[in-house]
Amino acid sequence: FMHHLIAYGSLCTFLLFVAGFRSAFIVAMAWGIGVASHYFGALVAPDLRKRFIEREVRQEIQRSAPRERRNMESQHVRSLEELSASIAHEIRNPITAAKSLVQQMGEDPASGQNVDYAKVAIEELDRVERSVAHLLRYAREEDLHLADIRLDEVVGSALESFRDRFAQSGVELVTDLGSDHALRGDAEKLRRVLINLVGNALDALEGAGVASPRIEVTAGENLAGSECWVRVRDNGPGIDPETLSRIFSPFYTSKDHGTGLGLAISKKVVDAHGGSIEASSQPGSGAEFTITIPKHEGTA
């Protein structure tokens, strides 16, 4: 721009003395418009464009922030409403059943059926106790006790608790865990997650009538070596799409005596590790659960 300006001033001065004021004025106006246009396009326009974009971004953020906040608040309210309804249903039903049985015992204290009534009432109240215990575990923000752990040891410890059950049920256990999968995590909480997944797989297979019931538990790392994964797969009856879409929702269960919080708690634990848990299934073709946990820094 300065080169144009110097040349512009020199030429106008030269024409003023050589060709006169009129010629100098015409050239000065024509060239001056060009120089001004170049100055605006090279120096002023980019700054104006930048300011315009920044203003539009600020306005868009101001418009979208309240909308996003309202959406989040609405989603939170809906989640609380669904959870409250589930809690009420899960606790009220067994309490109502136990209350009815106790009333029958009171109406005829000498009845020979009172022992059976009392047994069923206790079972229903035990169900309430389990639901409350699971709910407290789900609601409580438990600190993770992180340490350098080996994934194969955590999985092996979880599977060891099912040794007798596998032997009695006739379900074949197939494992491929490797030995070099180190990560930083809470060993006990991850062990509980795996116990829940393997226990659910056994529940699905027992009584399902599968010719050769089998559970496969495998572990490994991603190609980048930044994540570890564990996969629990069974060849049971599978999970229908509706159940699969709600399987991690609190208090949702397809079991007759389940609390519906096992998978919800498992997801919460995996989320706290910065990982993910996914389920896939086709009815009649078994189910598969995959846990992925980042290794983090400081792992062995």
Side-chain angles (χ1 to χ4, degrees), residues 217-286:
V217 182
T218 55
E221 296 181 2
N222 65 343
L223 293 176
S226 59
E227 296 177 335
C228 292
W229 54 264
V230 182
R231 182 173 297 117
V232 178
R233 177 187 300 155
D234 66 70
N235 63 340
I239 306 172
D240 63 86
E242 180 181 357
T243 299
L244 191 64
S245 66
R246 302 178 59 188
I247 204 166
F248 295 109
S249 300
F251 289 108
Y252 182 79
T253 180
S254 57
K255 301 179 183 179
D256 294 335
H257 302 289
T259 62
L261 282 171
L263 286 175
I265 293 173
S266 296
K267 185 177 186 304
K268 184 178 178 182
V269 170
V270 174
D271 287 345
H273 280 80
S276 63
I277 179 170
E278 298 177 350
S280 60
S281 177
Q282 291 292 334
S285 301

Side-chain angles (χ1 to χ4, degrees), residues 108-122:
D108 188 2
S111 173
Q113 294 181 305
N114 283 350
V115 175
D116 294 332
Y117 290 160
K119 181 180 178 181
V120 176
I122 291 174

Side-chain angles (χ1 to χ4, degrees), residues 106-286:
E107 292 172 359
D108 188 2
S111 173
Q113 294 181 305
N114 283 350
V115 175
D116 294 332
Y117 290 160
K119 181 180 178 181
V120 176
I122 291 174
E123 291 175 352
E124 293 295 326
L125 293 176
D126 284 343
R127 179 181 167 188
V128 173
E129 186 178 16
R130 288 196 304 271
S131 296
V132 172
H134 278 77
L135 176 61
L136 291 176
R137 280 186 57 197
Y138 178 74
R140 186 168 52 240
E141 293 295 336
E142 298 184 60
D143 294 332
L144 294 179
H145 301 288
L146 298 177
D148 291 339
I149 62 177
R150 305 195 73 83
L151 188 59
D152 59 304
E153 295 177 356
V154 175
V155 178
S157 176
L159 293 176
E160 182 64 24
S161 63
F162 291 101
R163 177 190 294 181
D164 293 339
R165 188 173 173 186
F166 271 107
Q168 295 171 4
S169 65
V171 176
E172 180 187 6
L173 174 63
V174 180
T175 61
D176 182 8
L177 306 179
S179 59
D180 299 324
H181 312 309
L183 69 153
R184 191 159 184 81
D186 189 317
E188 179 56 29
K189 288 185 175 59
L190 291 176
R191 176 178 175 273
R192 291 181 197 167
V193 172
L194 291 165
I195 286 175
N196 181 259
L197 296 182
V198 175
N200 287 345
L202 280 168
D203 290 342
L205 287 170
E206 291 174 343
V210 178
S212 301
R214 184 180 69 257
I215 293 177
E216 300 175 4
V217 182
T218 55
E221 296 181 2
N222 65 343
L223 293 176
S226 59
E227 296 177 335
C228 292
W229 54 264
V230 182
R231 182 173 297 117
V232 178
R233 177 187 300 155
D234 66 70
N235 63 340
I239 306 172
D240 63 86
E242 180 181 357
T243 299
L244 191 64
S245 66
R246 302 178 59 188
I247 204 166
F248 295 109
S249 300
F251 289 108
Y252 182 79
T253 180
S254 57
K255 301 179 183 179
D256 294 335
H257 302 289
T259 62
L261 282 171
L263 286 175
I265 293 173
S266 296
K267 185 177 186 304
K268 184 178 178 182
V269 170
V270 174
D271 287 345
H273 280 80
S276 63
I277 179 170
E278 298 177 350
S280 60
S281 177
Q282 291 292 334
S285 301

Side-chain angles (χ1 to χ4, degrees), residues 3-155:
H3 292 156
H4 282 280
L5 186 61
I6 292 173
Y8 168 74
S10 301
L11 179 60
C12 289
T13 303
F14 175 77
L15 290 175
L16 180 63
F17 289 100
V18 174
F21 175 79
R22 183 175 180 180
S23 297
F25 178 76
I26 293 174
V27 172
M29 288 296 295
W31 200 351
I33 293 174
V35 171
S37 299
H38 178 74
Y39 169 75
F40 181 83
L43 301 179
V44 178
D47 185 62
L48 290 178
R49 187 181 299 108
K50 179 181 178 182
R51 293 182 183 181
F52 175 78
I53 293 174
E54 289 176 349
R55 186 185 65 183
E56 289 298 312
V57 170
R58 285 196 301 268
Q59 291 177 350
E60 181 60 27
I61 292 175
Q62 291 173 355
R63 287 193 298 267
S64 62
R67 183 171 60 251
E68 292 296 328
R69 185 164 55 248
R70 287 194 300 270
N71 291 339
M72 292 178 63
E73 291 174 351
S74 177
Q75 183 178 2
H76 181 63
V77 169
R78 287 196 301 271
S79 298
L80 287 177
E81 289 175 349
E82 292 176 0
L83 182 58
S84 299
S86 299
I87 293 172
H89 179 270
E90 185 66 23
I91 294 178
R92 182 173 56 216
N93 286 355
I95 289 179
T96 301
K99 180 180 178 182
S100 175
L101 291 168
V102 172
Q103 286 175 342
Q104 292 184 48
M105 294 168 60
E107 292 172 359
D108 188 2
S111 173
Q113 294 181 305
N114 283 350
V115 175
D116 294 332
Y117 290 160
K119 181 180 178 181
V120 176
I122 291 174
E123 291 175 352
E124 293 295 326
L125 293 176
D126 284 343
R127 179 181 167 188
V128 173
E129 186 178 16
R130 288 196 304 271
S131 296
V132 172
H134 278 77
L135 176 61
L136 291 176
R137 280 186 57 197
Y138 178 74
R140 186 168 52 240
E141 293 295 336
E142 298 184 60
D143 294 332
L144 294 179
H145 301 288
L146 298 177
D148 291 339
I149 62 177
R150 305 195 73 83
L151 188 59
D152 59 304
E153 295 177 356
V154 175
V155 178

